[in-house]
Amino acid sequence: MNKRTVIVSGGLLEDEFALPILRSEETEFVIGVDKGLEFLHRHEIKPDYIVGDFDSVSKELVNYYREKVNVPIREFNPVKDASDTELALRLCIGLNRKEIWILGGTGNRIDHLWANVQCLQIALEAGADARIVDRHNQIRLIDREITLKKKEAFGPYFSLFPLEMPVDELTIRGAKYPLKNHFLKPTDSLCVSNEFEEEEVTISFVYGKVILMETRD
């Protein structure tokens, strides 16, 4: 069984949400990313890998893990062609991790959030299930039919957005606002804030990639 890998990035990290995930038996592997390392250190959670250019975390903390704790470190030049979270996600793929949760992937920096959403495509193309999660949101990328169960849902609301190109013949069944064979364009806001009408919601389409956002409020 391939248990969960958690990437801890430097964005929004709330103790009451993040710590139960990190300390769960379902979490097998933890990667500390740049400033996210401070959160792990503060809560005495040892990462299995550390990744980043470390431009937002002290050298003393990085050296502590390098010299005293002996955690493998992937250090990069700050002048690079990928975000620290992307580098961590690529490390997960290289290690054949199949279930990946990104904590600290949201927050005040909308540009960082959007970069993280786009990075989900790396995992999707590698056959991994990656998602960005915080207390209010869960963000995934899908390229095939999916069924959401109300009793297992992250929250009562869900929204759909095309990634890169239009989505053809989008159909939503079991929702408050059903849809049939809709051509969803990237400029189309039709699929924002839908809700469960039945116990299961099925989302299907014949072509494209869809950002699925599940929200609690």
XYZ file of all heavy atoms in Angstrom, residues 2-83:
666
model
N 0.635 2.128 -0.919
C 1.398 3.355 -1.005
C 0.725 4.420 -0.159
O -0.301 4.976 -0.531
C 1.490 3.806 -2.472
C 2.499 4.919 -2.644
O 3.011 5.468 -1.672
N 2.786 5.253 -3.886
N 1.275 4.692 1.011
C 0.660 5.659 1.898
C 0.953 7.089 1.441
O 1.671 7.326 0.480
C 1.144 5.437 3.328
C 0.610 4.162 3.962
C 0.965 4.106 5.432
C 0.373 2.866 6.085
N 0.690 2.808 7.544
N 0.421 8.026 2.180
C 0.447 9.429 1.793
C 1.818 10.071 2.003
O 2.499 9.833 2.990
C -0.600 10.171 2.626
C -0.759 11.622 2.326
C -2.011 12.139 3.012
N -1.994 11.935 4.445
C -3.076 11.688 5.187
N -4.264 11.595 4.628
N -2.975 11.533 6.488
N 2.192 10.888 1.027
C 3.352 11.762 1.134
C 2.841 13.187 1.315
O 1.932 13.613 0.613
C 4.216 11.696 -0.137
O 4.738 10.377 -0.271
C 5.366 12.688 -0.077
N 3.416 13.923 2.256
C 3.003 15.296 2.510
C 4.161 16.238 2.232
O 5.244 16.101 2.815
C 2.489 15.491 3.948
C 2.101 16.953 4.176
C 1.301 14.583 4.222
N 3.933 17.187 1.334
C 4.871 18.271 1.074
C 4.448 19.455 1.933
O 3.298 19.889 1.876
C 4.855 18.666 -0.414
C 5.365 17.515 -1.284
C 5.683 19.929 -0.655
C 5.216 17.770 -2.782
N 5.364 19.977 2.730
C 5.060 21.116 3.597
C 5.771 22.350 3.037
O 6.977 22.504 3.190
C 5.488 20.854 5.052
C 5.091 22.043 5.943
C 4.848 19.571 5.570
N 5.000 23.204 2.370
C 5.549 24.416 1.759
C 5.393 25.607 2.706
O 4.872 25.471 3.817
C 4.860 24.685 0.420
O 5.185 23.662 -0.511
N 5.806 26.772 2.237
C 5.915 27.925 3.115
C 4.730 28.854 3.156
O 4.845 29.977 3.654
N 3.563 28.425 2.663
C 2.373 29.267 2.680
C 1.581 29.117 3.968
O 2.149 28.989 5.056
N 0.262 29.111 3.834
C -0.623 29.039 4.999
C -0.553 27.660 5.647
O -0.884 26.656 5.032
C -2.063 29.344 4.563
C -3.136 29.243 5.653
C -2.916 30.307 6.717
C -4.527 29.369 5.040
N -0.145 27.639 6.916
C -0.064 26.400 7.683
C -0.727 26.639 9.041
O -0.199 27.373 9.873
C 1.392 25.967 7.875
C 2.123 25.487 6.618
C 3.628 25.480 6.845
C 1.635 24.092 6.230
N -1.890 26.030 9.242
C -2.621 26.189 10.490
C -2.480 24.921 11.326
O -2.775 23.820 10.843
C -4.091 26.490 10.197
C -4.286 27.809 9.447
C -5.737 28.046 9.069
O -6.251 27.281 8.224
O -6.342 28.982 9.625
N -2.042 25.085 12.550
C -1.728 23.940 13.396
C -2.865 22.936 13.485
O -2.659 21.725 13.323
C -1.386 24.414 14.817
C -0.072 25.164 14.889
O 0.515 25.444 13.818
O 0.367 25.478 16.008
N -4.090 23.427 13.724
C -5.202 22.519 13.982
C -5.585 21.706 12.754
O -6.198 20.644 12.871
C -6.424 23.289 14.504
C -7.043 24.255 13.521
C -6.418 25.638 13.532
O -5.282 25.783 14.030
O -7.079 26.566 13.047
N -5.201 22.184 11.569
C -5.480 21.430 10.349
C -4.277 20.587 9.929
O -4.423 19.404 9.605
C -5.858 22.379 9.209
C -6.146 21.672 7.909
C -7.358 21.029 7.703
C -5.188 21.627 6.898
C -7.617 20.355 6.521
C -5.432 20.957 5.713
C -6.648 20.314 5.526
N -3.113 21.183 9.917
C -1.928 20.515 9.374
C -1.392 19.409 10.265
O -0.977 18.344 9.773
C -0.832 21.544 9.099
N -1.370 19.625 11.563
C -0.727 18.647 12.452
C -1.417 17.281 12.458
O -0.725 16.256 12.424
C -0.644 19.216 13.869
C 0.344 20.372 14.042
C 0.318 20.896 15.473
C 1.758 19.951 13.659
N -2.747 17.196 12.494
C -3.362 15.863 12.423
C -3.012 15.105 11.144
O -2.886 13.876 11.164
C -4.866 16.172 12.495
C -4.955 17.464 13.232
C -3.759 18.249 12.765
N -2.846 15.825 10.045
C -2.461 15.182 8.787
C -1.032 14.658 8.882
O -0.743 13.509 8.525
C -2.597 16.171 7.613
C -4.072 16.515 7.384
C -1.962 15.609 6.338
C -4.302 17.616 6.376
N -0.145 15.483 9.380
C 1.263 15.096 9.458
C 1.494 13.959 10.451
O 2.395 13.144 10.259
C 2.110 16.307 9.841
C 2.278 17.352 8.732
C 2.775 18.675 9.302
C 3.240 16.848 7.665
N 0.689 13.894 11.486
C 0.864 12.882 12.528
C -0.009 11.651 12.325
O 0.033 10.714 13.117
C 0.589 13.510 13.896
C 1.661 14.528 14.292
C 1.288 15.313 15.527
N 2.393 16.189 15.941
C 2.269 17.201 16.795
N 1.070 17.472 17.320
N 3.318 17.949 17.111
N -0.776 11.648 11.243
C -1.648 10.524 10.946
C -0.844 9.291 10.530
O 0.233 9.398 9.935
C -2.616 10.907 9.828
O -3.284 9.770 9.327
N -1.390 8.107 10.828
C -0.757 6.865 10.383
C -0.758 6.750 8.862
O 0.035 5.993 8.295
C -1.478 5.669 10.993
C -1.306 5.539 12.496
C -1.968 4.302 13.049
O -2.628 3.588 12.263
O -1.841 4.042 14.266
N -1.650 7.489 8.207
C -1.709 7.454 6.750
C -0.562 8.218 6.100
O -0.303 8.046 4.907
C -3.046 8.036 6.269
C -4.254 7.214 6.664
C -4.176 5.789 6.129
O -3.895 5.627 4.924
O -4.387 4.847 6.916
N 0.105 9.069 6.854
C 1.239 9.826 6.319
C 2.523 9.060 6.571
O 2.907 8.808 7.715
C 1.316 11.226 6.958
O 0.145 11.963 6.606
C 2.539 11.984 6.473
N 3.174 8.699 5.486
C 4.372 7.859 5.567
C 5.647 8.644 5.279
O 6.733 8.285 5.759
C 4.236 6.717 4.550
C 5.396 5.760 4.522
C 5.202 4.674 3.479
O 4.883 5.007 2.318
O 5.376 3.490 3.830
N 5.538 9.739 4.519
C 6.718 10.423 3.991
C 6.449 11.923 4.032
O 5.372 12.376 3.622
C 6.942 9.950 2.552
C 8.349 10.086 2.061
C 9.312 9.150 2.384
C 8.715 11.159 1.254
C 10.615 9.262 1.917
C 10.013 11.279 0.770
C 10.972 10.329 1.108
N 7.400 12.708 4.535
C 7.242 14.157 4.673
C 8.415 14.872 4.025
O 9.573 14.511 4.242
C 7.140 14.568 6.159
C 7.079 16.094 6.292
C 5.926 13.924 6.816
N 8.104 15.881 3.214
C 9.134 16.704 2.568
C 8.973 18.149 3.035
O 7.914 18.756 2.854
C 9.034 16.633 1.038
C 9.235 15.194 0.562
C 10.075 17.552 0.390
C 9.096 15.014 -0.936
N 10.002 18.692 3.643
C 9.996 20.083 4.071
C 10.524 20.978 2.964
O 11.599 20.728 2.418
N 9.756 22.004 2.618
C 10.119 22.890 1.512
C 10.371 24.295 2.037
O 9.449 24.956 2.530
C 9.008 22.922 0.444
C 9.381 23.866 -0.692
C 8.755 21.525 -0.107
N 11.619 24.723 1.941
C 12.020 26.084 2.304
C 11.408 26.512 3.637
O 11.642 25.877 4.656
C 11.680 27.052 1.169
C 12.701 28.189 1.074
O 13.789 27.969 0.532
O 12.407 29.276 1.589
N 10.570 27.543 3.672
C 10.052 28.076 4.931
C 9.151 27.079 5.663
O 8.966 27.178 6.887
C 9.286 29.380 4.677
C 8.970 30.172 5.928
C 8.352 31.514 5.595
C 7.989 32.286 6.865
N 9.187 32.572 7.698
N 8.603 26.125 4.938
C 7.822 25.078 5.592
C 8.635 24.283 6.591
O 8.085 23.658 7.501
N 9.967 24.316 6.433
C 10.855 23.622 7.360
C 10.719 24.185 8.773
O 10.851 23.449 9.758
C 12.294 23.745 6.866
C 13.356 22.918 7.570
C 13.031 21.436 7.473
C 14.725 23.195 6.952
N 10.456 25.496 8.884
C 10.290 26.110 10.204
C 9.101 25.513 10.936
O 9.144 25.285 12.147
C 10.118 27.621 10.063
C 11.353 28.336 9.532
C 11.152 29.828 9.405
O 10.011 30.295 9.620
O 12.130 30.537 9.108
N 8.017 25.265 10.227
C 6.820 24.663 10.820
C 7.138 23.264 11.344
O 6.764 22.910 12.473
C 5.706 24.613 9.787
C 4.408 24.050 10.294
C 3.482 24.868 10.901
C 4.123 22.696 10.162
C 2.275 24.355 11.388
C 2.932 22.172 10.635
C 2.010 23.006 11.255
N 7.834 22.473 10.547
C 8.182 21.114 10.972
C 9.095 21.137 12.191
O 8.920 20.365 13.138
C 8.850 20.370 9.816
C 7.970 20.102 8.597
C 8.803 19.508 7.468
C 6.809 19.179 8.945
N 10.060 22.032 12.178
C 11.003 22.127 13.295
C 10.288 22.558 14.571
O 10.534 22.010 15.657
C 12.116 23.117 12.945
C 13.144 23.255 14.032
N 13.162 24.327 14.896
C 14.180 22.439 14.393
C 14.170 24.180 15.741
N 14.795 23.048 15.458
N 9.394 23.508 14.454
C 8.672 24.017 15.619
C 7.832 22.925 16.278
O 7.670 22.905 17.500
C 7.786 25.183 15.187
C 7.072 25.875 16.336
C 6.550 27.242 15.926
N 5.536 27.162 14.885
C 5.712 27.545 13.623
N 6.891 28.035 13.249
N 4.740 27.464 12.742
N 7.331 22.001 15.467
C 6.469 20.948 16.002
C 7.195 19.605 16.115
O 6.546 18.566 16.315
C 5.226 20.813 15.128
C 4.341 22.023 15.176
N 3.571 22.334 16.263
C 4.146 23.023 14.272
C 2.908 23.449 16.038
N 3.235 23.892 14.843
N 8.505 19.631 15.987
C 9.346 18.451 16.186
C 8.934 17.286 15.290
O 8.843 16.137 15.711
C 9.326 18.030 17.666
C 9.848 19.115 18.593
C 9.861 18.684 20.052
O 9.156 17.703 20.386
O 10.560 19.322 20.848
N 8.684 17.615 14.035
C 8.373 16.597 13.025
C 9.559 16.500 12.079
O 9.905 17.459 11.389
C 7.094 16.965 12.249
C 5.893 17.019 13.207
C 6.842 15.969 11.123
C 4.633 17.548 12.578
N 10.192 15.360 12.052
C 11.386 15.188 11.225
C 10.995 14.890 9.786
O 10.278 13.924 9.511
C 12.243 14.037 11.758
C 13.503 13.797 10.945
C 14.275 12.596 11.472
C 15.479 12.289 10.593
N 16.211 11.090 11.051
N 11.444 15.708 8.825
C 11.158 15.421 7.414
C 12.048 14.299 6.888
O 13.129 14.036 7.437
C 11.487 16.744 6.717
C 12.536 17.363 7.583
C 12.218 16.944 8.999
N 11.577 13.633 5.845
C 12.385 12.603 5.191
C 13.299 13.205 4.133
O 14.326 12.610 3.795
C 11.459 11.559 4.562
C 10.637 10.834 5.605
O 11.183 9.915 6.235
O 9.473 11.202 5.815
N 12.909 14.361 3.603
C 13.718 15.120 2.652
C 13.482 16.602 2.906
O 12.428 17.009 3.420
C 13.313 14.813 1.201
C 14.158 13.778 0.501
C 13.774 12.435 0.488
C 15.334 14.139 -0.166
C 14.523 11.481 -0.169
C 16.094 13.181 -0.830
C 15.689 11.859 -0.815
O 16.444 10.909 -1.459
N 14.460 17.401 2.529
C 14.330 18.856 2.560
C 14.680 19.381 1.174
O 15.682 18.962 0.585
C 15.252 19.475 3.624
C 14.822 19.026 5.029
C 15.241 21.003 3.535
C 15.815 19.407 6.110
N 13.844 20.289 0.658
C 14.017 20.795 -0.703
C 13.865 22.305 -0.712
O 12.999 22.855 -0.012
C 12.964 20.178 -1.661
C 13.069 20.800 -3.054
C 13.136 18.673 -1.743
N 14.689 22.991 -1.502
C 14.481 24.427 -1.683
C 15.739 25.189 -2.002
O 16.845 24.635 -2.030
N 15.557 26.494 -2.248
C 16.715 27.368 -2.409
C 17.061 28.051 -1.091
O 18.084 28.707 -0.991
C 16.469 28.399 -3.516
C 15.218 29.232 -3.277
O 14.777 29.359 -2.120
O 14.683 29.781 -4.257
N 16.167 27.912 -0.102
C 16.371 28.389 1.258
C 16.612 29.892 1.346
O 17.396 30.369 2.165
C 17.511 27.602 1.927
C 17.343 26.114 1.800
C 18.361 25.318 1.296
C 16.148 25.502 2.145
C 18.194 23.943 1.159
C 15.967 24.129 2.008
C 16.989 23.351 1.520
N 15.889 30.624 0.507
C 15.978 32.079 0.564
C 15.023 32.667 1.596
O 15.045 33.874 1.839
C 15.717 32.694 -0.816
C 14.320 32.400 -1.353
O 13.605 31.562 -0.750
O 13.931 32.982 -2.376
N 14.175 31.834 2.208
C 13.241 32.346 3.200
C 13.313 31.560 4.507
O 12.376 31.572 5.309
C 11.806 32.304 2.645
O 11.448 30.991 2.271
N 14.415 30.889 4.739
C 14.633 30.156 5.979
C 16.101 30.339 6.375
O 16.972 30.534 5.516
C 14.283 28.664 5.792
C 15.229 27.990 4.815
C 14.264 27.933 7.128
N 16.390 30.323 7.657
C 17.743 30.610 8.125
C 18.728 29.506 7.753
O 18.380 28.322 7.720
C 17.746 30.805 9.639
O 17.513 29.582 10.306
N 19.946 29.908 7.491
C 21.007 28.942 7.196
C 21.264 28.043 8.398
O 21.617 26.871 8.250
C 22.281 29.673 6.797
C 22.203 30.398 5.463
C 23.537 31.056 5.123
C 23.461 31.768 3.776
N 24.740 32.437 3.431
N 21.089 28.622 9.603
C 21.315 27.848 10.815
C 20.365 26.657 10.903
O 20.773 25.559 11.292
C 21.142 28.740 12.048
C 22.224 29.788 12.243
C 22.076 30.978 11.320
O 20.994 31.131 10.702
O 23.039 31.767 11.208
N 19.117 26.875 10.529
C 18.148 25.783 10.584
C 18.466 24.709 9.547
O 18.414 23.515 9.847
C 16.728 26.319 10.362
C 15.599 25.298 10.478
C 15.620 24.620 11.846
C 14.242 25.951 10.223
N 18.826 25.137 8.351
C 19.181 24.169 7.313
C 20.411 23.376 7.734
O 20.465 22.143 7.586
C 19.431 24.886 5.972
C 19.884 23.879 4.911
C 18.172 25.608 5.505
N 21.408 24.061 8.289
C 22.628 23.379 8.729
C 22.351 22.424 9.886
O 23.007 21.389 10.014
C 23.688 24.400 9.132
C 24.300 25.102 7.933
O 24.292 24.559 6.825
N 24.812 26.302 8.138
N 21.367 22.764 10.717
C 20.986 21.865 11.810
C 20.529 20.522 11.251
O 20.948 19.456 11.733
C 19.874 22.509 12.636
C 19.152 21.549 13.548
C 19.722 21.129 14.741
C 17.882 21.058 13.205
C 19.056 20.241 15.586
C 17.212 20.173 14.036
C 17.804 19.763 15.221
O 17.148 18.880 16.041
N 19.682 20.561 10.235
C 19.209 19.318 9.633
C 20.313 18.625 8.828
O 20.361 17.393 8.767
C 18.001 19.587 8.744
C 16.725 19.781 9.529
C 16.248 21.057 9.811
C 16.015 18.690 10.011
C 15.084 21.238 10.542
C 14.855 18.860 10.755
C 14.397 20.131 11.018
O 13.256 20.310 11.757
N 21.191 19.414 8.248
C 22.263 18.836 7.431
C 23.305 18.126 8.300
O 23.784 17.039 7.967
C 22.930 19.947 6.614
C 23.874 19.425 5.526
C 24.776 20.525 4.981
N 24.072 21.735 4.696
C 23.485 22.028 3.532
N 23.500 21.142 2.555
N 22.873 23.190 3.362
N 23.647 18.757 9.422
C 24.789 18.281 10.208
C 24.399 17.441 11.422
O 25.103 16.497 11.775
C 25.617 19.483 10.662
C 26.202 20.274 9.487
C 26.793 21.598 9.915
O 26.816 21.867 11.146
O 27.219 22.370 9.039
N 23.283 17.768 12.064
C 22.930 17.095 13.307
C 21.842 16.041 13.142
O 21.821 15.052 13.869
C 22.506 18.128 14.360
C 23.638 19.070 14.764
C 23.212 20.002 15.894
C 24.359 20.899 16.316
N 23.978 21.810 17.434
N 20.935 16.275 12.221
C 19.820 15.345 12.045
C 20.053 14.423 10.850
O 19.471 13.353 10.744
C 18.495 16.121 11.874
C 17.315 15.173 11.833
C 18.317 17.116 13.014
N 20.917 14.845 9.955
C 21.304 14.036 8.794
C 20.125 13.688 7.899
O 19.888 12.534 7.544
C 22.015 12.757 9.250
C 22.745 12.065 8.112
O 23.202 12.719 7.165
N 22.855 10.752 8.196
N 19.356 14.729 7.541
C 18.255 14.566 6.608
C 18.750 14.876 5.194
O 19.460 15.860 4.996
C 17.086 15.516 6.968
C 15.995 15.457 5.912
C 16.525 15.163 8.332
N 18.419 14.068 4.188
C 18.831 14.369 2.812
C 18.280 15.731 2.372
O 17.109 16.041 2.588
C 18.208 13.237 1.991
C 17.980 12.137 2.966
C 17.672 12.789 4.271
N 19.153 16.534 1.770
C 18.776 17.894 1.363
C 19.028 18.070 -0.130
O 20.114 17.748 -0.636
C 19.570 18.946 2.156
C 19.219 18.852 3.652
C 19.293 20.349 1.635
C 20.011 19.793 4.537
N 18.011 18.583 -0.828
C 18.156 18.978 -2.225
C 18.154 20.509 -2.270
O 17.110 21.128 -2.166
C 17.000 18.421 -3.063
C 16.934 16.903 -3.111
C 17.946 16.313 -4.050
N 17.834 14.869 -4.133
C 17.094 14.224 -5.015
N 16.363 14.906 -5.881
N 17.052 12.904 -5.037
N 19.335 21.086 -2.377
C 19.456 22.547 -2.354
C 19.661 23.082 -3.764
O 20.445 22.528 -4.549
C 20.621 22.967 -1.465
C 20.738 24.462 -1.287
C 21.725 24.854 -0.215
O 22.336 23.948 0.407
O 21.894 26.077 0.017
N 18.978 24.194 -4.075
C 19.007 24.771 -5.412
C 19.383 26.247 -5.354
O 19.150 26.930 -4.353
C 17.631 24.614 -6.091
C 17.228 23.193 -6.322
C 16.603 22.451 -5.318
C 17.481 22.571 -7.534
C 16.233 21.135 -5.522
C 17.109 21.249 -7.755
C 16.486 20.530 -6.742
N 19.956 26.700 -6.444
C 20.264 28.121 -6.587
C 18.966 28.918 -6.641
O 18.031 28.516 -7.331
C 21.070 28.337 -7.872
C 21.663 29.731 -7.964
O 20.983 30.726 -7.751
N 22.951 29.787 -8.260
N 18.881 30.062 -5.920
C 17.656 30.872 -5.993
C 17.310 31.325 -7.410
O 16.135 31.572 -7.713
C 17.982 32.068 -5.095
C 19.013 31.550 -4.138
C 19.833 30.586 -4.934
N 18.313 31.428 -8.269
C 18.051 31.762 -9.677
C 17.833 30.448 -10.420
O 18.762 29.811 -10.897
C 19.224 32.550 -10.291
C 18.903 32.926 -11.735
C 19.517 33.802 -9.472
N 16.571 30.031 -10.491
C 16.244 28.726 -11.057
C 14.964 28.831 -11.874
O 14.308 29.871 -11.891
C 16.089 27.677 -9.955
C 15.002 27.996 -8.927
C 15.055 27.002 -7.783
C 13.871 27.131 -6.834
N 13.693 28.468 -6.254
N 14.621 27.748 -12.544
C 13.499 27.764 -13.488
C 12.244 27.085 -12.956
O 11.315 26.812 -13.715
C 13.915 27.091 -14.808
C 15.045 27.848 -15.489
O 15.074 29.082 -15.375
O 15.884 27.194 -16.129
N 12.188 26.797 -11.662
C 11.020 26.131 -11.085
C 10.864 26.576 -9.642
O 11.829 26.939 -8.971
C 11.185 24.610 -11.155
N 9.619 26.542 -9.154
C 9.365 26.892 -7.763
C 9.852 25.762 -6.855
O 10.033 24.619 -7.285
C 7.877 27.140 -7.540
O 7.161 25.918 -7.653
